Amino acid sequence: MHSRFSVPAGAGGQATCLRERALAALAAGPWPDKLAAVRAIADDARVDAARELAAAAPLPGRPARPELVSPAQVKQRSMATVEGRAALLHALAHIEFNAVNLALDIVWRFSGMPEAFYRDWLRVAREEAHHFDLLNRRLAALGYAYGDFPAHNGLWEMAEKTRGDLLARLALVPRTLEARGLDASPLIRDKLAGAGDAESAAILDIILRDEIGHVAIGNRWYRHLCAQAGADPVACYAELAQRYGAPRLRGPFNLEARRAAGFDEAELAALTAPAA
Ligand SMILES: [Fe+2]
Ligand SMILES: [Fe+2]
């Protein structure tokens, strides 16, 4: 099959730097090409931290389907039917597709960070690609494919809003939207298990385990930048959440997973404090 994804001119495969490869993977539209491009980034690819890169194509690359609609148009369906469970797995696959894009975006867009920063987010991109793959295979087993249901674009919208501000990106994407996944995931897992779908529930277990690591990476680099700026992480978060219109988080919170992901007690207390 001919791939519509191409490595930047003059890159010559192996010589290409990690952040260039991330940009190329982000621009890839068909999901098999995107997954292949993520997997092709070598562990020891050179990190070009200082370079400013420019995107040549509209970002992110995505397939023609799923159709993107407003969140209100995404229907909740019953877990009692195969179609209902497929719709839920599809919504999760779409979140993972966006998560691959978000991890790649943070790698190419923001220059000047330590090498470990880029390697951390490359690991996240790979794990998100694995999650997408697991869900997509499960969808196929149920007779469906990625693209069969409409989806919404909420995750990428926050990426757009924070495109010029790495501290805000870290605060609001991994530490807010992905962390919300830690809260939601056990409930979704139980719904699937309750409907007798042990295979899908097992995928949710893998995702939750890995997502704790992603939020931990978000916390690690958020704290790094706060320390550099001499900012208080809790006060800084409140300010960024307001400035960028972050969703107000509602419980129940998965405090155990949030602690494992590195949120401290002051941050957990702020979650449940009344809005200022
Ligand atoms: Fe994921
Ligand atoms: Fe994640």
Side-chain angles (χ1 to χ4, degrees), residues 179-180 183 249 253-263 268 271:
R180 195 155 67 163
D183 304 325
L249 298 182
F253 297 107
N254 186 346
L255 295 177
E256 190 190 336
R258 283 176 174 269
R259 279 192 190 99
F263 286 107
L268 297 178
L271 272 180

Side-chain angles (χ1 to χ4, degrees), residues 21 36 41 50 53 58 114 117 120 130 156 168 209 228 243 264:
R21 298 291 291 248
I41 305 175
L53 301 174
F117 172 87
D120 273 354
H130 178 57
W156 189 259
R209 180 201 66 199
Q228 254 182 4
R243 191 187 326 157
D264 66 23

Side-chain angles (χ1 to χ4, degrees), residues 96 128 131 207 211 214:
E96 298 297 347
E128 307 294 20
H131 298 164
I207 291 177
E211 292 304 329
H214 302 177

Side-chain angles (χ1 to χ4, degrees), residues 46-92:
R46 193 162 62 80
V47 174
D48 40 349
R51 280 183 63 197
E52 294 294 337
L53 301 174
L59 296 176
R62 58 168 85 248
R65 296 176 66 213
E67 179 195 0
L68 297 181
V69 297
S70 73
Q73 288 174 274
V74 177
K75 284 187 253 166
Q76 289 259 10
R77 295 176 217 227
S78 160
M79 287 300 97
T81 66
V82 172
E83 191 199 17
R85 278 185 279 125
L88 174 62
L89 294 171
H90 188 279
L92 297 174

Side-chain angles (χ1 to χ4, degrees), residues 197-221:
D197 189 343
E199 287 95 333
S200 298
I203 296 174
L204 268 287
D205 287 333
I206 295 170
I207 291 177
L208 176 59
R209 180 201 66 199
D210 291 348
E211 292 304 329
I212 289 172
H214 302 177
V215 177
I217 288 171
N219 272 323
R220 174 183 177 194
W221 293 107

